[in-house]
Amino acid sequence: MADVSSARVAAYLREAILGGDLKPGMRIRQEEIAAKLGASRLPVREALRTLEAEGLTESEPHKGARVPRLSQHEVEVIYRMRERLEPLALLESLPLLGATDHERLEEVQRQIEANDDLEKFLDLDREFHMLTYSGCAIEPLNQNVVRLWNSTQHYRRAYVALGGQNRMWVVNAEHRLILDAVVRRDATDAERFLEGHIRRTRNELAHHPEVFE
Amino acid sequence: MADVSSARVAAYLREAILGGDLKPGMRIRQEEIAAKLGASRLPVREALRTLEAEGLTESEPHKGARVPRLSQHEVEVIYRMRERLEPLALLESLPLLGATDHERLEEVQRQIEANDDLEKFLDLDREFHMLTYSGCAIEPLNQNVVRLWNSTQHYRRAYVALGGQNRMWVVNAEHRLILDAVVRRDATDAERFLEGHIRRTRNELAHHPEVFE
DNA sequence: TGGCACAGGATTGGATCCAAAATCTACCCA
DNA sequence: TGGGTAGATTTTGGATCCAATCCTGTGCCA
């Protein structure tokens, strides 16, 4: 599913949702998307099914698709899932990362530290973490990690936009610890620092209920 | 998506894959399924997309869908994911389970102990665990747990068929410990026993490479 | 004025038809 | 006899059309 039309539609919708153009609660009309992409409704329907299973949309029969709205508690549990799953992905990935990956990580982290654009930060942060997992070849695990990131993307954006940037130095310090552990191939440290990184984020989110409207 | 045709098709295929009629590596032809269910190919296509995202099928453009074949290492990592995620689901569920649920659990466990049919054991075992998670209202977590169970169903069956029934008393002892912790509402114990239960199964699987052909 | 019922439009679900790609088969040639 | 290639068949991907359901707005009546 690469050159295929339904894949293009799925990619477009994914981008739109993760990019914040389609916000939680918004309805997605098949015809509208089809017209915008110059395709028929069929690929749109298939794409929506795919996204539904990725947790990016939800749909009821004859009622159509929407971007799901998550409660604060749901987001909190998703973060707890991340705390448990991502260290496992890192554990699988770490031994397979080479010098080139380490340099790329270093480069991305430098970009994060030099950056001051919020939207760009979200992309770079995601790239940093995904790079650390890029050695993991277990597809179900990779898919899960991506799904969890996707489903909280909107709330992460809201949090950062709400003033999370004051705490950016904490993020950078934690990234540095993770990066160092990865380069040293210290799985125990890497797991611990990563878990702490996610847990801290969860705690900060818990103290900002305004992110959830 | 309840009365809808594509949901019926998805349910049928799910059953066929979990029931072992469609084995890993087997190809799924849209026309064939459509004819068998008296529907057109369209609902089948949508169903396949859904199942694909559930990890029950995989597909390449113009090549069609297959039941994925997992390596021993992949199954092992999926079990590690279960070790981390299912205790979380139990944690969320436990406080919300009532006396009725406890009785139902007790009843299912009695059936497992009285049962000697392998196929039936798989169903009952699944029902037992799913019941313990049934209080958890976090959809992404529930979906994940189901997906992980689904994707290893075939290998679980192969293991049980290969003589796992000698160790049935261990399963029952562990289920009893979990059940007791659930009734006592002891989250710490429940998490610990459940995690141990899954880890032991993973270890036993690791010593039976013949399950993976 | 407020609520309910009905009708019309809008939107999704399903079937059939056509196009494109992949697989299979048979044949040719070394 | 074995391998490769070209064509035929199968199978999947996409578009259009029709049916079923849902939503909305209007009007009627208490």
Side-chain angles (χ1 to χ4, degrees), chain A residues 170-189:
Chain A
V170 184
V171 173
N172 288 328
E174 288 168 340
H175 278 198
R176 283 290 172 191
L177 287 174
I178 294 170
L179 177 48
D180 185 54
V182 166
V183 172
R184 284 186 291 115
R185 303 231 161 132
D186 184 330
T188 313
D189 269 9

Side-chain angles (χ1 to χ4, degrees), chain A residues 89-149:
Chain A
L90 189 51
L91 200 63
E92 284 289 313
S93 170
L94 196 137
L96 296 168
L97 295 178
T100 316
D101 301 304
H102 296 163
E103 283 160 26
R104 183 102 190 78
L105 267 170
E106 173 71 41
E107 168 61 21
V108 172
Q109 179 52 30
R110 263 200 300 268
Q111 284 183 44
I112 295 180
E113 284 159 4
N115 171 71
D116 62 350
D117 176 53
L118 295 184
E119 198 63 28
K120 183 114 188 151
F121 167 75
L122 291 170
D123 289 344
L124 287 170
D125 183 53
R126 185 188 179 107
E127 192 179 351
F128 177 87
H129 286 281
M130 292 305 158
L131 263 173
T132 64
Y133 310 141
S134 63
C136 172
I138 310 289
E139 256 333 290
L141 181 48
N142 291 334
Q143 279 178 21
N144 254 301
V145 169
V146 169
R147 229 193 331 264
L148 295 176
W149 270 77

Side-chain angles (χ1 to χ4, degrees), chain B residues 59-76:
Chain B
S59 71
E60 282 179 283
H62 301 284
K63 285 195 170 184
R66 319 184 78 86
V67 183
R69 200 192 293 278
L70 298 181
S71 69
Q72 178 161 11
H73 181 234
E74 281 174 311
V75 172
E76 188 190 320

